[in-house]
Amino acid sequence: MATASNGENVVDDALVAVAYEEGGRYFTDDDIPTYRIQEDGTVDWLTYSGFRRYHSECHVCHGPEGEGSTYAPALKVSAIEMDYYDFVDVVTNGRKKVNASANSVMPAFGTNPNVMCYLDDIYVYLKARGTDVVARGRPSKKEAKSDDIREQENACLG
C-alpha cells in the first residue's frame, strides 16, 4: 500500500482487480480471492457473507466493520497489508506478539468451521472494507448465492 500526497492510503489495483470468476467467486490475476462491487452498490455473495461471518466471530475483538479496537488491530487494514496466505496462516494457527511495546494474542481458529468454512468470505469482506468500497453496515444489495458456493459450504460444514 502506498500513500498519496494528501496522506490517504492508495491500494494497487492489481491487489483487488477482478481477473476472473468461478462459480460466484472472484479472483485476482494471482488467484487471490477478491470482491466485486457493481455500480449500483450490489456486492458479491462472499462480501455479503463475509460481513455476516465477521460480525459473528471476529468483531468482538477486532471491532465492528474491521475498524479495530483497543484490544485488537483493524483487520480491514490487515487484509490489504498482509499477504493472503499470511492472513490465512494467522487465522488458522493464531499468533502471539510479545515485546516491550505489545502483548497481543490471536487465537487459532483452524478447528472452528464457523470461521474456516467462510475464511475467504471474511477476507474478501475485509479487503472491500480496507479499500473503502464497502461502507460500514450491512450491505443492502447482494448477488444471489451460487450453487457452487452452496455446495462448497455444505461440504465444509458436513
Side-chain angles (χ1 to χ4, degrees):
M1 187 172 343
T3 303
S5 59
N6 63 2
E8 291 186 22
N9 291 330
V10 178
V11 176
D12 180 357
D13 285 339
L15 295 174
V16 296
V18 174
Y20 66 97
E21 178 267 341
E22 282 184 4
R25 295 174 179 270
Y26 299 90
F27 298 90
T28 65
D29 277 331
D30 295 333
D31 305 318
I32 303 298
T34 194
Y35 55 82
R36 178 175 178 257
I37 313 298
Q38 297 177 32
E39 286 186 31
D40 70 353
T42 300
V43 301
D44 60 281
W45 178 261
L46 290 193
T47 298
Y48 176 76
S49 173
F51 167 85
R52 294 176 53 223
R53 303 305 171 174
Y54 175 85
H55 286 89
S56 70
E57 298 290 335
C58 311
H59 90 275
V60 172
C61 294
H62 291 280
E65 285 93 13
E67 293 286 330
S69 70
T70 57
Y71 187 71
L75 291 183
K76 73 177 204 170
V77 174
S78 298
I80 299 300
E81 292 180 347
M82 286 180 82
D83 175 79
Y84 168 73
Y85 300 102
D86 290 338
F87 183 88
V88 170
D89 180 57
V90 169
V91 174
T92 304
N93 300 307
R95 177 168 68 182
K96 187 174 187 176
K97 283 189 175 183
V98 178
N99 58 44
S101 63
N103 183 7
S104 65
V105 177
M106 167 72 181
F109 284 92
T111 60
N112 183 337
N114 292 317
V115 173
M116 298 311 296
C117 292
Y118 301 100
L119 188 54
D120 283 352
D121 306 37
I122 294 166
Y123 176 77
V124 167
Y125 164 70
L126 290 169
K127 201 173 185 180
R129 286 287 302 129
T131 55
D132 292 325
V133 297
V134 170
R136 294 182 80 162
R138 181 185 295 264
S140 60
K141 297 184 215 173
K142 63 186 178 299
E143 291 179 357
K145 183 190 288 189
S146 71
D147 290 339
D148 285 355
I149 291 172
R150 189 178 323 284
E151 288 173 21
Q152 290 170 1
E153 182 180 285
N154 289 340
C156 186
L157 292 172

